[in-house]
Amino acid sequence: MRHDMFSAPTPEEAYFKAKSKYGFAFRLISARQIPIENSDEYICEIVITVDEELYNQKNRQQIVNEDKEIEQKVNIKSALEIFYNRGIDKHSIEKIISKIDSNEILSSREKLVAFIISEIHNTIKIKDENLDGKNIIMLVGTTGVGKTTTIAKLASRYSQGMKKQVALFNLDNYKVGAKEQLSNYAHNMGITHISIDSLDEFSSKLDAIEEHDLILVDTTGISPFDIDKLLKNVEYILSSHKYKIYTNLVLSATVKYEDLQDIYNSFSFLDLDSVIFTKLDETNHIGSIINFLIDNPNTPVSYLSNGQVVPTDIVIDTKKYLLDKFVGTL
Ligand SMILES: Nc1nc2c(ncn2[C@@H]2O[C@H](COP(=O)(O)OP(=O)(O)O)[C@@H](O)[C@H]2O)c(=O)[nH]1
Ligand SMILES: [Mg+2]
C-alpha cells in the first residue's frame, strides 16, 4: 500500500481531489487543518492509502501528463518565436493557432511550424489571370510604388506573350515626365497609348479604342476619391462597351505592415479585385506581406514585381514565390 496526500481549503474539497484521482479505491487515514501563516485561514490536508499498483499507475500518468504539457509549451514558444522574429504579428499567429484541433500538432516544434506554414499557404489567395472578353485593368496606389513600371510589364506580357490587342491609358497627369515614361514603353512595344488630362475624357476616349481586348490604366497622382468618381461616371459606358473593369492596388513590399494596412484601407472603398506587391527584390523580409494577407484573407494577389527591368521582372505564380521567399528565411 502507498500513501498519498491532498490539500484544499476544506476537507470536502481535499476528499474530492482524492476521489477524482483514485475513484473509490482508497482509504482515508488522517485529516488535519493547518493554519496559514499570517492569516486566520486554514488549509486542510488529508492522507489516504491506496493499492501500490493503482498508485504507480496514476502518478506515472500524472508525471507523463505534466511532462507533456511542459514540452508542448516549449514547442509552442520556440515555434512562435520563429514567426515573431520574421515580422508576423501576435494576433495573426493566434488566429492560426486557434485552428489547431489535435494535440499531435503540438507534439513537436517541427509539426507546429509545418502547420503554421500550411495555414499561411491556405490563407494566400491568388487571382487567376482571366482575360476572356474585353477587360480594363486599372492600377491604383501611392506615388512611386511601381504602377507605371508594372503596367509596362503587363502590356508586354499581354500584347507580345498572349497576342492581345492592348492599349495603355494614362491618367497619370500630375507627375512630371510620367506621360513620357508610359508613352515610351508603349512606343517601344508598338502599343496604342492614350493620355488624358481630365477624368471626363476617359469615356470619350474609350470609344476610340473599342477594338482593343485589354486596356491598362495608369493612375498616378489621382486620389482614390477621384478614381471612385471616374469609375461611377464610366460604369454605364463600360457596360455598353462590354468591358469588365478590374481595380488592382499596388503596394510596396518594403512598407511596414501598419502602413500597408493604412494604404489598403484608404483605397478599399474602390472595390479592389486584387493587390500587386512590388519591390520584392529590395527586401528579404516579407513578414509584413504575410501579415497583411492573413489579416485580409479575401484579398487575392495577382502579380508580384521583383525588379525594375521591363518586361522580365514580374512574377505570375505569386503564391509559390511568396511562400518560397518567406520559408527561405525561416
Ligand atoms: N527595385 C525595384 N524598383 C521598382 C520596382 N517597380 C518599380 N520600381 C522603381 O520604382 C520607381 C517608381 O516606379 P513607377 O512605376 O514610376 O511608380 P508609379 O509612380 O507608381 O507609377 C522607378 O524608379 C521604378 O524603376 C520593383 O519591383 N523593384
Ligand atoms: Mg506612374
Side-chain angles (χ1 to χ4, degrees):
M1 298 298 268
R2 289 291 294 264
H3 288 172
D4 201 352
M5 197 175 72
F6 297 89
S7 48
T10 65
E12 290 78 16
E13 285 171 81
Y15 189 81
F16 183 76
K17 278 187 175 175
K19 207 174 104 198
S20 46
K21 185 164 174 187
Y22 295 114
F24 286 101
F26 67 88
R27 216 155 44 78
L28 186 65
I29 295 198
S30 66
R32 61 178 183 142
Q33 281 189 315
I34 309 160
I36 298 173
E37 236 178 278
N38 302 325
S39 142
D40 299 337
E41 292 176 13
Y42 289 87
I43 184 103
C44 296
E45 189 184 276
I46 64 167
V47 177
I48 55 118
T49 172
V50 286
D51 179 66
E52 175 128 16
E53 205 176 310
L54 182 61
Y55 177 89
N56 286 340
Q57 183 199 335
K58 292 294 176 188
N59 287 289
R60 216 180 301 124
Q61 220 164 50
Q62 194 175 333
I63 290 166
V64 169
N65 286 347
E66 279 170 11
D67 281 355
K68 254 193 195 155
E69 229 171 80
I70 291 168
E71 198 184 313
Q72 276 189 0
K73 278 188 186 147
V74 171
N75 288 340
I76 294 175
K77 192 164 176 283
S78 71
L80 300 196
E81 258 164 21
I82 292 177
F83 293 93
Y84 294 154
N85 290 341
R86 270 118 192 123
I88 307 293
D89 251 30
K90 206 166 171 210
H91 77 275
S92 302
I93 289 290
E94 274 163 9
K95 224 184 209 176
I96 292 177
I97 295 284
S98 70
K99 292 183 188 162
I100 293 178
D101 57 1
S102 113
N103 262 344
E104 178 63 17
I105 294 163
L106 300 174
S107 68
S108 84
R109 174 176 169 272
E110 287 67 32
K111 280 184 189 159
L112 184 53
V113 170
F115 174 82
I116 296 173
I117 291 172
S118 81
E119 281 300 314
I120 290 175
H121 181 277
N122 294 340
T123 305
I124 299 177
K125 300 278 179 302
I126 51 173
K127 173 96 183 165
D128 286 328
E129 262 184 337
N130 179 6
L131 297 173
D132 296 344
K134 286 177 176 283
N135 297 289
I136 295 178
I137 295 181
M138 180 180 256
L139 298 199
V140 299
T142 50
T143 303
V145 74
K147 292 180 295 300
T148 305
T149 315
T150 306
I151 285 205
K153 293 171 187 172
L154 291 178
S156 162
R157 175 174 172 78
Y158 298 135
S159 67
Q160 266 128 44
M162 298 181 176
K163 306 290 174 221
K164 297 264 178 200
Q165 284 290 321
V166 177
L168 300 184
F169 240 78
N170 209 43
L171 297 180
D172 198 339
N173 47 352
Y174 298 100
K175 202 170 140 191
V176 178
K179 257 182 217 169
E180 287 69 28
Q181 191 189 351
L182 196 62
S183 69
N184 283 344
Y185 285 128
H187 180 75
N188 291 340
M189 288 185 257
I191 290 174
T192 310
H193 172 250
I194 294 175
S195 186
I196 60 169
D197 294 323
S198 76
L199 300 182
D200 297 336
E201 253 190 284
F202 186 86
S203 33
S204 62
K205 289 282 167 68
L206 215 50
D207 277 330
I209 45 162
E210 244 195 315
E211 74 275 16
H212 292 84
D213 307 312
L214 184 71
I215 296 159
L216 295 165
V217 184
D218 195 0
T219 59
T220 297
I222 301 177
S223 79
F225 299 99
D226 282 338
I227 293 170
D228 189 44
K229 224 163 51 189
L230 166 84
L231 289 174
K232 292 203 167 102
N233 283 345
V234 297
E235 221 165 64
Y236 166 77
I237 301 164
L238 289 177
S239 63
S240 64
H241 279 77
K242 312 241 176 336
Y243 279 108
K244 274 183 296 183
I245 185 151
Y246 296 99
T247 310
N248 305 296
L249 175 64
V250 184
L251 294 166
S252 167
T254 60
V255 165
K256 67 173 188 287
Y257 166 67
E258 289 80 0
D259 292 334
L260 283 181
Q261 193 61 51
D262 278 355
I263 297 167
Y264 180 80
N265 291 345
S266 66
F267 281 92
S268 59
F269 68 94
L270 284 177
D271 220 357
L272 300 169
D273 290 286
S274 78
V275 289
I276 295 172
F277 289 103
T278 58
K279 312 203 179 183
L280 277 141
D281 55 308
E282 287 187 358
T283 178
N284 283 322
H285 308 285
I286 59 161
S288 56
I289 293 183
I290 302 293
N291 248 335
F292 174 86
L293 296 174
I294 294 173
D295 262 11
N296 303 280
N298 299 318
T299 305
V301 185
S302 49
Y303 300 101
L304 302 170
S305 164
N306 59 347
Q308 292 178 290
V309 182
V310 179
T312 50
D313 294 342
I314 189 152
V315 177
I316 314 301
D317 196 350
T318 55
K319 187 165 178 159
K320 183 178 183 318
Y321 184 95
L322 288 177
L323 276 172
D324 284 353
K325 191 157 171 122
F326 183 65
V327 172
T329 63
L330 291 184

